C-alpha cells in the first residue's frame, strides 16, 4: 500500500459546526503532516507529527485541532471555522527521522485532499 | 529568509520539450524537489536532487541544478497532454520536516 487516504473528499460546514478530517496511511511512515492549500497557491504547512507526537505547529489558530491516535492515523478537528478557512486540506506522510535518514530527503506522499467549504 | 520562486504559466505543443524554472534563496537547502499536482488531486513527487549534484535524469525528466545561482530547472522531454498540471518546485534541509514550496507553474500542453 503506497497511498495516503483522506476522508471526506468534500465537506461543507457552518461556522458553528464541529467536524473532523481523517487521514490514514499504511506505509509505515512515522511522520504525518497537515497542509492547507488555497486556490492557485502552494501548500502551506500547518502541523507535523513525528512518532505520534506533535513536532511542528505553524502558529495555526486553535479552531484547528490535530490529533494522531496512532502511527497510521491523523485527524484534524474543526470547530468555529471562518469562511476564509475554506480550502483544500492535504494530508501527507514521510518515512520520518531515523538514524540513517537524519540528513536525508524529506519525501512526502500526499493524499488527494479534503475540500472544505465554510458557509 | 526562505523563498522559492517560479514563473506561473507555461504553454507548449505536444511533442515539444518543456522547461520549468525555479529559483530559491536559502543556500543551506540540501534537497530540491519537483512535485506535480493534477486538478482536484494531491501533490505527487516527480523527482528530487541532492544539492551536491548538478543533474539528475529519470526517463523523460531531467533536473538541472546551478547551486551558485540557486537555480533549478525541470525539463520534460516529448511533452504529452497528460503532463498538463501544476508543477511545484520545493526545498528542504537534510533531515528536516519543513518543505518550502514555490507558487507552482501551470503547464498547458496543446495537442
Amino acid at each position: 500500500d503506497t497511498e495516503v487516504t483522506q476522508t471526506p473528499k468534500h465537506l461543507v460546514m457552518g461556522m458553528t459546526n464541529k467536524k473532523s478530517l481523517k487521514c490514514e496511511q499504511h506505509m509505515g511512515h512515522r511522520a504525518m503532516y497537515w497542509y492547507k492549500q488555497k486556490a492557485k497557491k502552494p501548500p502551506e504547512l500547518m502541523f507535523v507529527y513525528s512518532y505520534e507526537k506533535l513536532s511542528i505547529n505553524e502558529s495555526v489558530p486553535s479552531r484547528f485541532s490535530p490529533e494522531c491516535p496512532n502511527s497510521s492515523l491523523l485527524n484534524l478537528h474543526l470547530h468555529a471555522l471562518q469562511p476564509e478557512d475554506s480550502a483544500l486540506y492535504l494530508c501527507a506522510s514521510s518515512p520520518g527521522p531515523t538514524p540513517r535518514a537524519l540528513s536525508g530527503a524529506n519525501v512526502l506522499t500526499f493524499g488527494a485532499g479534503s475540500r472544505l467549504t465554510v458557509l | 529568509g526562505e523563498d522559492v520562486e517560479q514563473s506561473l504559466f507555461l504553454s507548449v505543443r505536444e511533442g515539444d520539450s518543456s522547461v520549468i524554472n525555479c529559483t530559491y534563496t536559502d543556500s543551506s537547502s540540501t534537497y530540491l524537489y519537483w512535485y506535480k499536482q493534477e486538478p482536484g488531486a494531491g501533490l505527487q513527487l516527480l523527482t528530487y536532487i541532492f544539492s551536491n549534484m548538478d543533474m539528475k535524469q529519470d526517463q523523460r525528466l531531467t533536473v538541472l541544478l546551478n547551486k551558485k545561482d540557486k537555480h533549478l530547472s525541470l525539463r520534460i522531454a516529448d511533452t504529452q497532454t497528460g503532463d498538463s498540471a501544476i508543477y511545484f518546485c520545493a526545498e528542504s534541509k537534510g533531515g528536516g520536516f519543513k518543505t518550502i514550496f514555490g507558487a507552482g507553474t501551470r503547464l498547458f500542453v496543446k495537442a
Side-chain angles (χ1 to χ4, degrees):
Chain A
D1 188 352
T2 58
E3 287 188 346
V4 174
T5 303
Q6 290 188 242
T7 55
K9 291 193 185 308
H10 300 275
L11 178 63
V12 179
M13 61 186 290
M15 289 189 283
T16 58
N17 292 157
K18 284 185 181 181
K19 297 286 185 183
S20 297
L21 306 180
K22 297 185 182 301
C23 174
E24 190 169 359
Q25 58 88 15
H26 295 287
M27 294 177 282
H29 287 177
R30 303 314 299 263
M32 295 187 76
Y33 307 71
W34 281 115
Y35 281 86
K36 174 182 178 180
Q37 187 179 27
K38 300 281 275 185
K40 295 185 172 31
K41 297 289 186 185
E44 295 177 2
L45 183 64
M46 300 175 72
F47 302 104
V48 181
Y49 274 81
S50 174
Y51 287 86
E52 300 158 50
K53 292 194 187 315
L54 185 63
S55 180
I56 295 176
N57 175 344
E58 291 286 87
S59 302
V60 179
S62 59
R63 57 185 184 268
F64 295 91
S65 176
E67 178 197 19
C68 189
N70 60 54
S71 60
S72 299
L73 293 175
L74 184 66
N75 300 320
L76 186 63
H77 302 299
L78 314 170
H79 174 53
L81 294 194
Q82 304 297 310
E84 59 264 29
D85 296 322
S86 298
L88 181 68
Y89 287 84
L90 293 165
C91 176
S93 68
S94 69
T98 66
R100 289 178 62 186
L102 281 175
S103 58
N106 190 39
V107 174
L108 298 168
T109 301
F110 282 88
S114 293
R115 185 161 299 281
L116 174 67
T117 302
V118 182
L119 301 176
Chain B
E2 302 162 331
D3 198 12
V4 178
E5 293 189 359
Q6 305 177 235
S7 53
L8 295 182
F9 186 80
L10 176 66
S11 179
V12 300
R13 292 190 184 280
E14 191 175 23
D16 287 350
S17 292
S18 308
V19 180
I20 302 171
N21 294 300
C22 168
T23 56
Y24 60 99
T25 56
D26 190 350
S27 58
S28 64
S29 294
T30 50
Y31 289 92
L32 296 131
Y33 310 79
W34 285 104
Y35 284 85
K36 175 184 180 182
Q37 186 175 31
E38 297 185 24
L43 280 70
Q44 172 194 0
L45 178 73
L46 291 176
T47 186
Y48 67 92
I49 189 168
F50 186 47
S51 58
N52 70 349
M53 297 170 64
D54 298 324
M55 186 182 89
K56 182 177 180 181
Q57 188 153 3
D58 184 0
Q59 299 183 330
R60 292 191 297 124
L61 305 179
T62 302
V63 177
L64 295 178
L65 175 61
N66 181 328
K67 194 173 180 182
K68 175 175 167 288
D69 294 338
K70 300 191 188 70
H71 182 266
L72 183 75
S73 68
L74 174 70
R75 179 177 179 269
I76 305 173
D78 187 24
T79 312
Q80 301 298 306
T81 54
D83 295 323
S84 293
I86 302 174
Y87 291 80
F88 291 97
C89 171
E91 60 173 1
S92 75
K93 295 181 178 45
F97 290 124
K98 286 193 180 184
T99 301
I100 307 299
F101 289 90
T105 298
R106 186 177 295 272
L107 175 64
F108 178 67
V109 182
K110 294 176 284 189

